[in-house]
Amino acid sequence: MNPDPEESDPGLARERTNMAWTRTAISFAALGAAILKDHLVPGLIVLALGLATWILSRLLPGTFGATGARPRQLLLVTVAVTAVAAVALGVALTART
Amino acid sequence: MGLIAASHATPGPADGDADAVESEPDARFTFANERTFLAWTRTALAFVVAGLGVVQLLPPFPGVPWGRHVLGVPLIVIGAVIAVTSYSQWVRSQQALRRGQPLPRSVLPRILAIAITAMAIVSAVVLLVSAVLKPR
């Protein structure tokens, strides 16, 4: 009695979206590791953002239950990326020419 | 399993569009919109990584001390622009889905194309200037 995955998750959309979240979290972590090389604290913060993204994706409403838009969570990710870009800009501008 | 799961239709004259009736779109569309947003987010992060890498990891261009900053800083700014734009794009697409309207055209491919072209030109210029000014 195997439940048809098309019933519970049409087009496997939910699973593919969860994997997209995982890829995004890994991207954050990779950026954190790159920053870590020269800047310990900012690097650790961005690494933590990667972990936070992953945890956020697990906590999302709709991940395991009903579906629906989640604007607040996506806005959070946008704010995080923009903040990281601002930190990177600061690092780049203070680097010696 | 109907394609349009119009579960709780709510009349939503959000911004001037009095005829627009909003309803929850098919979950697949919502998920697809979200994945598109996440893909652009990763693109934005890649730009930030690239910009940071240019400034931090490349050896200086001979004869062009400002070369790495000219390449790296715009890359980071482009990353931030893509991140913010992708969110507003997600909002507009989600609204169009809720209203059953055609999806709005995305400006992101144009931003990406212009950004990459501009960065390629700037990179070529920096390399050429460096080759000319290189102490030999």
Side-chain angles (χ1 to χ4, degrees), chain A residues 10 13 16-17 20-21 23-24 27 31 35 38-39 67 70-71 74-75 78 81 85 88-89 91-92 95-97, chain B residues 24 27-28 30-31 34-35 37-38 41-42 45 48-49 52 55-56 65 68-69 73 76 80 83-84 87 90 94:
Chain A
R16 284 192 285 148
T17 304
W21 275 97
R23 289 197 294 278
T24 308
S27 300
L31 175 56
I35 299 176
D38 286 318
H39 303 267
T67 58
R70 12 204 198 192
L74 301 194
L75 183 61
T78 307
V81 177
L89 203 57
V91 167
R96 245 176 268 135
T97 40
Chain B
E24 191 60 33
R28 277 172 285 181
T30 298
F31 276 131
E34 188 169 313
R35 285 198 299 278
F37 164 82
L38 290 170
T41 297
R42 292 192 296 276
L45 283 171
V48 176
V49 157
L52 209 57
V55 175
Q56 299 255 288
R68 289 178 297 174
H69 284 76
V73 170
I76 295 171
V84 173
Y87 181 72
W90 178 86
Q94 198 63 26

Side-chain angles (χ1 to χ4, degrees), chain B residues 80-96:
Chain B
V81 169
I82 289 178
V84 173
T85 313
S86 69
Y87 181 72
S88 70
Q89 185 66 37
W90 178 86
V91 170
R92 290 199 298 148
S93 295
Q94 198 63 26
Q95 194 172 55

Side-chain angles (χ1 to χ4, degrees), chain A:
Chain A
M1 217 181 93
N2 283 326
D4 186 358
E6 277 297 317
E7 283 289 316
S8 57
D9 189 4
L12 294 179
R14 178 174 302 136
E15 177 158 359
R16 284 192 285 148
T17 304
N18 287 345
M19 289 164 82
W21 275 97
T22 308
R23 289 197 294 278
T24 308
I26 291 173
S27 300
F28 261 112
L31 175 56
I35 299 176
L36 201 62
K37 186 166 182 287
D38 286 318
H39 303 267
L40 183 67
V41 174
L44 286 176
I45 292 174
V46 176
L47 261 180
L49 279 177
L51 188 63
T53 306
W54 188 77
I55 292 172
L56 180 72
S57 73
R58 303 294 113 171
L59 295 178
L60 280 180
T63 308
F64 297 109
T67 58
R70 12 204 198 192
R72 226 168 278 139
Q73 288 80 358
L74 301 194
L75 183 61
L76 213 57
V77 172
T78 307
V79 169
V81 177
T82 315
V84 166
V87 170
L89 203 57
V91 167
L93 288 176
T94 53
R96 245 176 268 135
T97 40

